[in-house]
Amino acid sequence: METQSVDMSKKLIEYCKLYMSEWHTVKGFVHDMTLLGIETKYKHLTTYDTMKTDRHKEKKEKEREVFYTSIEEKKNKEKIKKWVFNSEYIPEELDFCKDLVAKFWAVKKGSRSKEAYELLVGHYGLLGIRRKYGLKDGEKAVKEQLEEAIANKWQSITLKNYEAFGRPQKADKEPVTNHPAGRLFKNGRFVDG
């Protein structure tokens, strides 16, 4: 194969290094990308987004296997700032359980994103439980939920799940009294009212 040297800016070379795999050389990467660009531009290939990323086997007429690799879409290797939990983010209304929230965040399963944190401490999470069930009962319920969540490494704590699973089932029912005056006389006999 006959070659020819081409001048490239240092910026373009650095840009190539961001996307190329560690096994690629700069020369090989530029060669592959140039070929891919030409074939895509002139419709010899499908568009970049629809390419397959697996290795494929294909048997030719001469019964020999030919391996080919389509080019993977590379994610930008630039560092993206991730949100990091800090106990200072906890609202003042949850100061009574600040240490439990921090412990839970350290052991929880699942995502530790800003959105997950906002769900945990927001109106559909701990603040919702505390506000809906009042100061005394709400704080007690929040502490119980956090302790259980830490012990069982839950993904999150929500008001919906607390009402469905964590809340005592008899909380809405009136206490049953077995006092004789509570019985009714119907159809000639006493029945419980």
Side-chain angles (χ1 to χ4, degrees):
M1 180 171 143
E2 192 176 325
T3 62
Q4 180 180 352
S5 64
V6 177
D7 292 333
M8 286 179 59
S9 70
K10 287 184 180 181
K11 252 187 185 178
L12 183 58
I13 292 173
E14 291 303 316
Y15 193 69
C16 289
K17 287 180 180 177
L18 278 176
Y19 291 97
M20 66 186 220
S21 301
E22 56 191 42
W23 51 267
H24 248 128
T25 63
V26 175
K27 179 181 175 181
F29 183 75
V30 169
H31 183 267
D32 289 348
M33 290 296 103
T34 305
L35 185 62
L36 175 70
I38 291 169
E39 289 182 348
T40 304
K41 169 78 175 171
Y42 296 104
K43 309 295 184 215
H44 297 293
L45 282 178
T46 58
T47 59
Y48 192 67
D49 294 335
T50 59
M51 288 185 177
K52 296 188 177 185
T53 57
D54 301 342
R55 286 190 157 291
H56 302 284
K57 287 184 190 177
E58 179 178 283
K59 288 201 172 187
K60 291 270 184 168
E61 297 171 6
K62 296 178 183 175
E63 293 297 321
R64 61 186 178 114
E65 291 184 354
V66 177
F67 292 94
Y68 64 92
T69 309
S70 55
I71 298 174
E72 296 180 12
E73 180 178 347
K74 296 290 179 188
K75 291 187 177 178
N76 192 350
K77 291 185 179 180
E78 292 177 20
K79 291 186 179 179
I80 299 170
K81 291 183 181 179
K82 289 187 178 180
W83 182 85
V84 179
F85 171 77
N86 189 338
S87 59
E88 294 173 6
Y89 299 151
I90 298 171
E92 286 182 21
E93 283 186 70
L94 297 174
D95 275 344
F96 66 94
C97 62
K98 203 173 206 176
D99 57 332
L100 287 173
V101 173
K103 278 184 192 176
F104 170 68
W105 195 259
V107 300
K108 81 183 254 5
K109 286 184 180 178
S111 174
R112 287 185 174 82
S113 65
K114 184 177 181 181
E115 292 79 15
Y117 172 76
E118 288 172 354
L119 177 67
L120 173 68
V121 297
H123 300 293
Y124 297 109
L126 298 174
L127 278 177
I129 295 171
R130 183 182 181 277
R131 289 176 181 166
K132 186 166 184 176
Y133 296 103
L135 188 64
K136 183 181 171 189
D137 292 337
E139 286 183 6
K140 181 182 172 190
V142 166
K143 284 182 180 178
E144 287 174 357
Q145 287 293 290
L146 281 167
E147 288 167 357
E148 279 189 61
I150 291 167
N152 297 314
K153 296 181 181 172
W154 291 351
Q155 286 188 351
S156 189
I157 301 168
T158 61
L159 175 61
K160 181 180 175 184
N161 286 346
Y162 173 69
E163 290 176 340
F165 306 112
R167 190 163 164 234
Q169 298 297 324
K170 296 179 183 177
D172 293 334
K173 296 180 183 176
E174 293 183 22
V176 177
T177 57
N178 292 331
H179 193 275
R183 295 172 29 166
L184 299 173
F185 188 76
K186 271 187 178 175
N187 298 332
R189 58 187 185 157
F190 286 100
V191 288
D192 291 327

